[in-house]
Amino acid sequence: MRIATWNVNSAKQRLPRMMPWLAERKPDVVCLQETKLSDVAFGELFGEPLAALGYEFAHHGEGQWNGVALLSRVGLVDVRPGFPGQPDFGGRSEARAVSATCGGIRVYSLYVPNGRVVGSDHYAYKLDWLDALAADVAAGPAELALCGDMNIAPSDADVFDPAAYVGQTHVTAPERERLAALGLTDVVRKRWPAERVFSYWDYRAGMFHQDLGMRIDLVLTSTSVADRVAAAWVDRAARKGTGPSDHAPVIVDLDEAPDGDIGPVVPPPSNPKRGGRTRLPQAR
DNA sequence: ATGCCTAGGTATCCTAGA
């Protein structure tokens, strides 16, 4: 099963990039963020083209800002917009989370608040929002994948220049502590433990061309899901060319779930003709 | 240079993104 997450920065503007990408990458489940559409507008724009590719969808939007969606062709059940205890901002609930069960996994599409300025009301909102999310995750099912624009770089390795981010949101200890407190596995970092991997590059000043970015779009899974990861990567090709989002998709491939009937995995017997261990060729 | 893009909405500039 292939799961992808992509902050598209306006689904309406990105439609010419999204549909060919879906046809090429063929993800089974897609988490979208920053659709910037109402539910009605998303359905009008994407309903028919998604159905033609075999996707069901669940969209949770406002219109102007935010907006998240789930696309699936492996089932889409128990759809839930938002999560219990999700805080408001400015007295209004924002469309930043939608979850559903797809292919046996509880999948969340998340657009974590930006935080704007450290110490601001929006920053406090971001931390509260993450606390409430952690409480929901702790109460949730074991097969879990939190996907989306977390607006947090998990470590200094996830920004192009840590010195440039001192005092900025996305890198502060309170944000990182809350990300870690979710208790999930960052499957792209696990797969590429020491590599330079970014998922967002500012549109300005040739940042993408110079690979000056941040890794803030994450797939965080429970251990049972992390153990099935066969591939995990950032699809940088989707950030190239004409009219891209400023974020690239993150793609994760999972092996089939163990069905419980195959019994313990037994290592193959050694070859008796060789009398034990196979030896590597020896250097002279 | 607190900018350099991009998007949405209202309107020909503002907010927001990160």
Coordinates of all heavy atoms in Angstrom, one line a residue, chain A residues 157-232:
Chain A
A157 N 19.0 18.9 11.6 CA 19.3 18.3 10.3 C 18.2 18.5 9.3 O 18.4 18.3 8.1 CB 19.6 16.8 10.5
D158 N 17.1 18.9 9.8 CA 15.9 19.1 8.9 C 15.7 20.5 8.4 O 14.7 20.8 7.8 CB 14.7 18.6 9.6 CG 14.8 17.1 9.9 OD1 15.1 16.3 9.0 OD2 14.6 16.8 11.1
V159 N 16.7 21.4 8.6 CA 16.7 22.8 8.0 C 18.0 23.0 7.4 O 19.1 22.5 7.8 CB 16.4 23.8 9.1 CG1 15.0 23.6 9.7 CG2 17.4 23.9 10.2
F160 N 18.0 23.8 6.4 CA 19.3 24.0 5.6 C 20.4 24.7 6.3 O 21.5 24.5 6.1 CB 19.0 24.7 4.2 CG 18.7 26.2 4.4 CD1 19.7 27.1 4.3 CD2 17.4 26.7 4.6 CE1 19.5 28.5 4.4 CE2 17.1 28.0 4.7 CZ 18.2 28.9 4.6
D161 N 19.9 25.6 7.3 CA 20.9 26.3 8.1 C 20.3 26.6 9.5 O 19.6 27.6 9.6 CB 21.3 27.6 7.4 CG 22.3 28.5 8.2 OD1 22.8 27.9 9.2 OD2 22.5 29.6 7.8
P162 N 20.7 25.8 10.4 CA 20.1 26.0 11.8 C 20.3 27.4 12.3 O 19.4 27.9 13.0 CB 20.8 24.9 12.6 CG 21.2 23.9 11.7 CD 21.5 24.6 10.4
A163 N 21.4 28.0 12.0 CA 21.7 29.3 12.5 C 20.7 30.4 12.0 O 20.3 31.3 12.6 CB 23.1 29.8 12.1
A164 N 20.1 30.1 10.8 CA 19.2 31.0 10.2 C 17.8 30.9 10.8 O 17.0 31.8 10.6 CB 19.0 30.7 8.7
Y165 N 17.6 29.9 11.6 CA 16.3 29.6 12.2 C 16.2 29.9 13.7 O 15.2 29.7 14.3 CB 15.8 28.2 11.9 CG 15.4 28.0 10.5 CD1 16.3 27.6 9.5 CD2 14.1 28.3 10.1 CE1 15.9 27.4 8.2 CE2 13.7 28.2 8.8 CZ 14.6 27.7 7.8 OH 14.2 27.6 6.5
V166 N 17.4 30.3 14.3 CA 17.4 30.6 15.7 C 16.3 31.7 16.0 O 16.3 32.7 15.4 CB 18.8 31.1 16.2 CG1 18.7 31.6 17.6 CG2 19.8 29.9 16.0
G167 N 15.5 31.3 17.0 CA 14.4 32.3 17.4 C 13.2 32.2 16.5 O 12.2 32.9 16.8
Q168 N 13.2 31.4 15.5 CA 12.0 31.3 14.6 C 11.1 30.1 15.0 O 11.6 29.2 15.7 CB 12.5 31.0 13.2 CG 13.5 32.1 12.6 CD 12.8 33.4 12.4 OE1 11.8 33.5 11.8 NE2 13.5 34.5 12.9
T169 N 9.9 30.1 14.6 CA 9.0 29.0 14.7 C 9.6 27.8 13.9 O 10.5 28.0 13.1 CB 7.6 29.3 14.3 OG1 7.6 29.7 12.9 CG2 7.0 30.4 15.2
H170 N 9.0 26.6 14.1 CA 9.3 25.4 13.4 C 10.5 24.6 14.0 O 10.7 23.5 13.7 CB 9.6 25.6 11.9 CG 8.4 26.1 11.2 ND1 7.8 27.3 11.4 CD2 7.7 25.5 10.2 CE1 6.7 27.4 10.6 NE2 6.6 26.4 9.8
V171 N 11.3 25.3 14.8 CA 12.5 24.6 15.3 C 12.7 24.8 16.8 O 13.6 24.2 17.4 CB 13.8 25.2 14.7 CG1 13.8 25.1 13.1 CG2 14.0 26.7 15.0
T172 N 11.7 25.4 17.5 CA 11.9 25.6 18.9 C 11.7 24.3 19.7 O 11.0 23.4 19.3 CB 10.9 26.7 19.5 OG1 9.6 26.1 19.4 CG2 11.0 28.0 18.7
A173 N 12.3 24.3 20.9 CA 12.2 23.1 21.7 C 10.8 22.7 22.1 O 10.4 21.5 22.0 CB 13.1 23.3 23.0
P174 N 9.9 23.7 22.5 CA 8.5 23.3 22.8 C 7.8 22.6 21.6 O 7.1 21.6 21.8 CB 7.9 24.6 23.2 CG 9.0 25.4 23.7 CD 10.2 25.1 22.8
E175 N 8.1 23.1 20.4 CA 7.4 22.4 19.2 C 8.0 21.0 19.0 O 7.3 20.1 18.8 CB 7.7 23.3 18.0 CG 7.0 24.6 18.0 CD 7.6 25.6 16.9 OE1 7.1 25.5 15.7 OE2 8.5 26.3 17.2
R176 N 9.3 20.9 19.1 CA 9.9 19.6 18.9 C 9.6 18.6 20.0 O 9.4 17.4 19.7 CB 11.5 19.8 18.8 CG 11.9 20.4 17.5 CD 13.4 20.7 17.4 NE 13.8 21.1 16.1 CZ 15.0 21.6 15.7 NH1 15.9 21.7 16.7 NH2 15.2 21.9 14.5
E177 N 9.5 19.1 21.2 CA 9.1 18.2 22.3 C 7.7 17.6 22.0 O 7.4 16.4 22.3 CB 9.1 19.0 23.6 CG 10.5 19.2 24.1 CD 10.6 20.3 25.2 OE1 9.5 20.8 25.6 OE2 11.7 20.7 25.5
R178 N 6.8 18.5 21.5 CA 5.4 18.0 21.3 C 5.4 17.0 20.1 O 4.6 16.0 20.2 CB 4.5 19.2 21.1 CG 4.1 19.8 22.4 CD 3.5 21.2 22.3 NE 3.1 21.7 23.5 CZ 3.9 22.2 24.5 NH1 5.2 22.3 24.2 NH2 3.4 22.6 25.6
L179 N 6.2 17.2 19.1 CA 6.3 16.2 18.0 C 6.7 14.9 18.5 O 6.2 13.8 18.2 CB 7.2 16.8 17.0 CG 7.1 16.2 15.6 CD1 5.8 16.5 14.9 CD2 8.2 16.8 14.7
A180 N 7.8 14.9 19.4 CA 8.3 13.7 19.9 C 7.3 13.0 20.9 O 7.3 11.8 21.0 CB 9.6 14.0 20.7
A181 N 6.5 13.8 21.6 CA 5.6 13.3 22.6 C 4.5 12.5 21.9 O 3.8 11.7 22.6 CB 5.0 14.4 23.4
L182 N 4.3 12.6 20.6 CA 3.3 11.8 19.9 C 3.7 10.3 20.0 O 2.9 9.4 19.9 CB 3.2 12.2 18.4 CG 2.6 13.6 18.2 CD1 2.8 14.1 16.7 CD2 1.2 13.7 18.6
G183 N 5.0 10.1 20.2 CA 5.5 8.7 20.4 C 5.4 7.8 19.1 O 5.3 6.6 19.2
L184 N 5.6 8.5 17.9 CA 5.5 7.8 16.7 C 6.8 7.8 15.9 O 7.7 8.5 16.3 CB 4.4 8.4 15.8 CG 3.0 8.4 16.5 CD1 2.0 9.3 15.6 CD2 2.4 7.0 16.6
T185 N 6.9 7.0 14.9 CA 8.1 6.9 14.1 C 8.1 7.8 12.9 O 7.1 7.7 12.1 CB 8.4 5.4 13.7 OG1 8.4 4.6 14.8 CG2 9.7 5.3 12.9
D186 N 9.1 8.6 12.7 CA 9.3 9.5 11.5 C 9.9 8.6 10.5 O 11.2 8.4 10.4 CB 10.2 10.6 11.9 CG 10.6 11.5 10.8 OD1 10.3 11.3 9.7 OD2 11.2 12.6 11.1
V187 N 9.1 8.0 9.6 CA 9.6 6.9 8.7 C 10.6 7.3 7.7 O 11.4 6.6 7.3 CB 8.4 6.1 8.1 CG1 7.6 5.5 9.3 CG2 7.6 6.9 7.2
V188 N 10.5 8.6 7.2 CA 11.5 9.1 6.2 C 12.8 9.2 6.9 O 13.9 8.8 6.3 CB 11.0 10.4 5.5 CG1 12.1 11.0 4.7 CG2 9.8 10.1 4.6
R189 N 12.9 9.8 8.1 CA 14.2 10.0 8.7 C 14.8 8.6 9.1 O 16.0 8.4 9.0 CB 14.0 10.9 9.9 CG 15.3 11.2 10.6 CD 16.4 11.6 9.7 NE 16.4 13.0 9.3 CZ 17.0 13.5 8.2 NH1 17.7 12.7 7.4 NH2 16.9 14.8 8.0
K190 N 13.9 7.7 9.5 CA 14.4 6.3 9.8 C 15.0 5.7 8.6 O 16.1 5.0 8.7 CB 13.3 5.4 10.3 CG 13.7 4.1 10.8 CD 12.6 3.2 11.2 CE 13.1 1.8 11.7 NZ 11.9 0.9 12.0
R191 N 14.5 5.9 7.4 CA 15.0 5.3 6.2 C 16.2 6.1 5.7 O 17.1 5.4 5.1 CB 13.9 5.4 5.1 CG 14.4 4.9 3.7 CD 14.8 3.5 3.7 NE 15.3 3.1 2.4 CZ 16.5 3.3 2.0 NH1 17.4 4.0 2.7 NH2 16.9 2.9 0.8
W192 N 16.3 7.4 6.0 CA 17.5 8.2 5.5 C 18.0 8.9 6.7 O 17.9 10.1 6.9 CB 17.0 9.2 4.4 CG 16.3 8.6 3.3 CD1 15.0 8.5 3.0 CD2 16.9 7.9 2.2 NE1 14.7 7.8 1.9 CE2 15.9 7.5 1.3 CE3 18.2 7.6 1.8 CZ2 16.1 6.8 0.1 CZ3 18.5 7.0 0.6 CH2 17.4 6.5 -0.2
P193 N 18.7 8.2 7.6 CA 19.1 8.7 8.9 C 20.1 9.9 8.8 O 20.1 10.7 9.8 CB 19.7 7.5 9.6 CG 20.1 6.5 8.5 CD 19.1 6.7 7.4
A194 N 20.9 9.9 7.8 CA 21.9 11.0 7.8 C 21.9 11.8 6.5 O 22.8 12.7 6.3 CB 23.3 10.4 8.0
E195 N 20.9 11.6 5.7 CA 20.9 12.3 4.4 C 20.2 13.7 4.5 O 19.4 13.9 5.4 CB 20.1 11.5 3.3 CG 20.9 10.3 2.8 CD 21.1 9.1 3.8 OE1 20.4 9.2 4.8 OE2 21.8 8.2 3.5
R196 N 20.5 14.5 3.5 CA 19.9 15.8 3.4 C 18.6 15.6 2.7 O 18.5 15.3 1.5 CB 20.8 16.7 2.6 CG 20.3 18.2 2.4 CD 21.3 18.9 1.5 NE 21.0 20.3 1.2 CZ 21.5 21.3 1.9 NH1 22.3 21.1 2.9 NH2 21.1 22.5 1.6
V197 N 17.5 15.7 3.5 CA 16.1 15.5 2.9 C 15.2 16.7 3.3 O 15.0 16.9 4.5 CB 15.5 14.2 3.4 CG1 14.2 13.9 2.8 CG2 16.5 13.0 3.2
F198 N 14.7 17.4 2.3 CA 13.8 18.5 2.6 C 12.5 18.2 1.9 O 12.4 17.4 0.9 CB 14.4 19.8 2.2 CG 15.7 20.2 2.8 CD1 16.7 20.7 2.1 CD2 15.8 20.0 4.2 CE1 17.9 21.1 2.7 CE2 17.0 20.3 4.8 CZ 18.1 20.9 4.1
S199 N 11.4 18.9 2.4 CA 10.1 18.7 1.7 C 9.5 20.0 1.3 O 8.4 20.1 0.7 CB 9.2 17.9 2.6 OG 8.8 18.7 3.8
Y200 N 10.1 21.1 1.8 CA 9.6 22.5 1.6 C 10.7 23.4 1.2 O 11.8 23.4 1.8 CB 8.9 23.0 2.8 CG 8.7 24.5 2.8 CD1 7.7 25.1 2.1 CD2 9.7 25.4 3.3 CE1 7.5 26.5 2.0 CE2 9.6 26.7 3.3 CZ 8.5 27.3 2.6 OH 8.4 28.7 2.5
W201 N 10.5 24.2 0.2 CA 11.5 25.2 -0.3 C 10.7 26.5 -0.6 O 9.8 26.4 -1.4 CB 12.3 24.7 -1.5 CG 13.0 23.5 -1.4 CD1 14.4 23.3 -1.1 CD2 12.5 22.1 -1.5 NE1 14.7 22.0 -1.1 CE2 13.6 21.2 -1.3 CE3 11.2 21.6 -1.8 CZ2 13.4 19.8 -1.4 CZ3 11.1 20.2 -1.8 CH2 12.2 19.3 -1.6
D202 N 11.2 27.6 0.0 CA 10.5 28.9 -0.3 C 10.5 29.1 -1.8 O 11.5 28.8 -2.5 CB 11.3 30.0 0.5 CG 10.5 31.3 0.6 OD1 10.1 31.8 -0.5 OD2 10.2 31.7 1.7
Y203 N 9.5 29.8 -2.3 CA 9.4 30.1 -3.7 C 10.5 31.1 -4.1 O 10.9 31.2 -5.2 CB 8.0 30.7 -4.0 CG 6.9 29.8 -4.1 CD1 5.8 29.9 -3.3 CD2 6.9 28.8 -5.1 CE1 4.6 29.1 -3.5 CE2 5.8 28.0 -5.3 CZ 4.7 28.1 -4.5 OH 3.6 27.3 -4.6
R204 N 10.9 31.9 -3.1 CA 11.7 33.1 -3.4 C 13.2 32.7 -3.5 O 13.7 31.8 -2.9 CB 11.6 34.1 -2.3 CG 10.2 34.7 -2.3 CD 10.0 35.6 -1.0 NE 9.9 34.8 0.2 CZ 9.6 35.3 1.4 NH1 9.4 36.6 1.5 NH2 9.6 34.6 2.4
A205 N 13.9 33.6 -4.3 CA 15.4 33.6 -4.3 C 16.0 32.3 -4.7 O 17.1 32.0 -4.2 CB 15.9 34.0 -2.9
G206 N 15.3 31.5 -5.5 CA 16.0 30.2 -6.0 C 16.3 29.2 -4.9 O 17.3 28.5 -5.0
M207 N 15.5 29.2 -3.9 CA 15.8 28.3 -2.7 C 15.7 26.8 -3.1 O 16.6 26.0 -2.7 CB 14.8 28.6 -1.6 CG 14.9 30.0 -1.0 SD 16.4 30.2 0.0 CE 15.8 29.7 1.6
F208 N 14.8 26.5 -4.0 CA 14.7 25.1 -4.4 C 15.9 24.7 -5.3 O 16.5 23.6 -5.1 CB 13.4 24.8 -5.2 CG 13.3 23.4 -5.7 CD1 13.1 22.3 -4.9 CD2 13.5 23.1 -7.1 CE1 13.0 21.0 -5.3 CE2 13.4 21.8 -7.6 CZ 13.2 20.8 -6.7
H209 N 16.3 25.6 -6.2 CA 17.4 25.3 -7.1 C 18.7 25.1 -6.3 O 19.5 24.3 -6.6 CB 17.6 26.5 -8.0 CG 18.7 26.4 -9.0 ND1 18.6 25.4 -10.0 CD2 19.9 27.0 -9.1 CE1 19.7 25.5 -10.7 NE2 20.5 26.4 -10.2
Q210 N 18.8 25.8 -5.1 CA 20.0 25.7 -4.3 C 19.8 24.6 -3.2 O 20.7 24.4 -2.4 CB 20.3 27.0 -3.6 CG 20.6 28.2 -4.6 CD 20.6 29.5 -3.9 OE1 21.6 29.9 -3.3 NE2 19.5 30.3 -4.0
D211 N 18.7 24.0 -3.2 CA 18.3 23.0 -2.2 C 18.5 23.6 -0.7 O 19.0 22.9 0.2 CB 19.1 21.7 -2.3 CG 18.5 20.5 -1.5 OD1 17.3 20.6 -1.3 OD2 19.2 19.6 -1.2
L212 N 17.9 24.7 -0.6 CA 17.9 25.4 0.8 C 16.4 25.3 1.3 O 15.6 26.1 0.9 CB 18.3 26.8 0.7 CG 19.7 27.1 0.0 CD1 20.0 28.6 0.0 CD2 20.8 26.4 0.9
G213 N 16.2 24.2 2.0 CA 14.8 23.9 2.4 C 14.6 23.5 3.8 O 15.6 23.7 4.7
M214 N 13.5 22.9 4.1 CA 13.2 22.3 5.4 C 12.4 21.0 5.2 O 11.8 20.9 4.2 CB 12.3 23.3 6.2 CG 12.7 24.7 6.3 SD 11.3 25.7 7.1 CE 11.7 25.3 8.8
R215 N 12.6 20.1 6.2 CA 11.7 18.9 6.2 C 10.7 19.1 7.3 O 11.0 18.9 8.4 CB 12.6 17.7 6.4 CG 11.8 16.4 6.0 CD 12.7 15.2 6.2 NE 13.1 14.9 7.5 CZ 12.5 14.2 8.4 NH1 11.4 13.5 8.0 NH2 12.9 14.0 9.6
I216 N 9.5 19.5 6.8 CA 8.4 19.7 7.8 C 7.2 18.9 7.4 O 6.2 18.9 8.2 CB 8.0 21.2 7.8 CG1 7.7 21.7 6.4 CG2 9.2 22.0 8.4 CD1 7.2 23.2 6.4
D217 N 7.2 18.2 6.3 CA 6.1 17.3 5.9 C 6.5 15.9 6.2 O 7.5 15.4 5.7 CB 5.8 17.5 4.4 CG 5.5 18.9 4.0 OD1 4.3 19.2 4.1 OD2 6.4 19.7 3.7
L218 N 5.7 15.3 7.1 CA 6.2 14.1 7.8 C 5.1 13.0 7.7 O 3.9 13.3 7.6 CB 6.5 14.3 9.3 CG 7.4 15.5 9.6 CD1 7.5 15.7 11.1 CD2 8.8 15.3 9.0
V219 N 5.6 11.8 7.7 CA 4.7 10.6 8.0 C 5.2 10.0 9.3 O 6.3 9.5 9.4 CB 4.8 9.6 6.8 CG1 4.0 8.4 7.1 CG2 4.3 10.3 5.5
L220 N 4.3 10.0 10.2 CA 4.6 9.5 11.6 C 3.7 8.3 11.9 O 2.5 8.5 11.8 CB 4.3 10.6 12.6 CG 5.0 11.9 12.4 CD1 4.6 13.0 13.4 CD2 6.6 11.8 12.5
T221 N 4.3 7.2 12.1 CA 3.4 6.0 12.3 C 3.7 5.2 13.6 O 4.8 5.4 14.2 CB 3.7 5.0 11.1 OG1 4.9 4.3 11.3 CG2 3.7 5.7 9.8
S222 N 2.7 4.4 13.9 CA 2.9 3.5 15.0 C 4.0 2.5 14.6 O 4.3 2.3 13.4 CB 1.6 2.8 15.4 OG 1.0 2.2 14.2
T223 N 4.5 1.8 15.6 CA 5.6 0.8 15.3 C 5.1 -0.3 14.4 O 5.9 -0.7 13.5 CB 6.0 0.1 16.7 OG1 6.4 1.2 17.6 CG2 7.2 -0.8 16.5
S224 N 3.9 -0.7 14.5 CA 3.4 -1.8 13.6 C 3.4 -1.4 12.2 O 3.7 -2.2 11.3 CB 2.0 -2.3 14.1 OG 1.2 -1.1 14.1
V225 N 3.1 -0.2 11.9 CA 3.1 0.3 10.5 C 4.6 0.6 10.1 O 5.0 0.3 9.0 CB 2.3 1.6 10.4 CG1 2.4 2.2 9.0 CG2 0.8 1.3 10.7
A226 N 5.4 1.2 11.0 CA 6.8 1.5 10.7 C 7.5 0.2 10.3 O 8.4 0.2 9.4 CB 7.5 2.1 11.8
D227 N 7.2 -0.9 10.9 CA 7.8 -2.2 10.6 C 7.5 -2.7 9.2 O 8.2 -3.6 8.7 CB 7.5 -3.2 11.6 CG 8.1 -3.0 13.0 OD1 9.1 -2.2 13.0 OD2 7.7 -3.6 13.9
R228 N 6.5 -2.1 8.6 CA 6.1 -2.6 7.2 C 6.7 -1.7 6.1 O 6.4 -1.9 4.9 CB 4.6 -2.6 7.1 CG 3.9 -3.6 8.0 CD 2.4 -3.4 8.1 NE 1.7 -3.2 6.8 CZ 0.5 -2.8 6.6 NH1 -0.2 -2.4 7.7 NH2 0.0 -2.7 5.4
V229 N 7.4 -0.6 6.5 CA 7.8 0.4 5.5 C 8.9 -0.3 4.5 O 9.9 -0.8 5.0 CB 8.5 1.6 6.2 CG1 9.1 2.5 5.1 CG2 7.4 2.4 6.9
A230 N 8.5 -0.2 3.3 CA 9.5 -0.8 2.2 C 10.2 0.4 1.5 O 11.3 0.1 1.0 CB 8.7 -1.6 1.2
A231 N 9.6 1.5 1.5 CA 10.2 2.7 0.9 C 9.6 4.0 1.5 O 8.5 4.0 1.9 CB 10.0 2.7 -0.6
A232 N 10.4 5.0 1.6 CA 10.0 6.3 2.2 C 10.8 7.4 1.6 O 12.0 7.4 1.8 CB 10.1 6.3 3.7

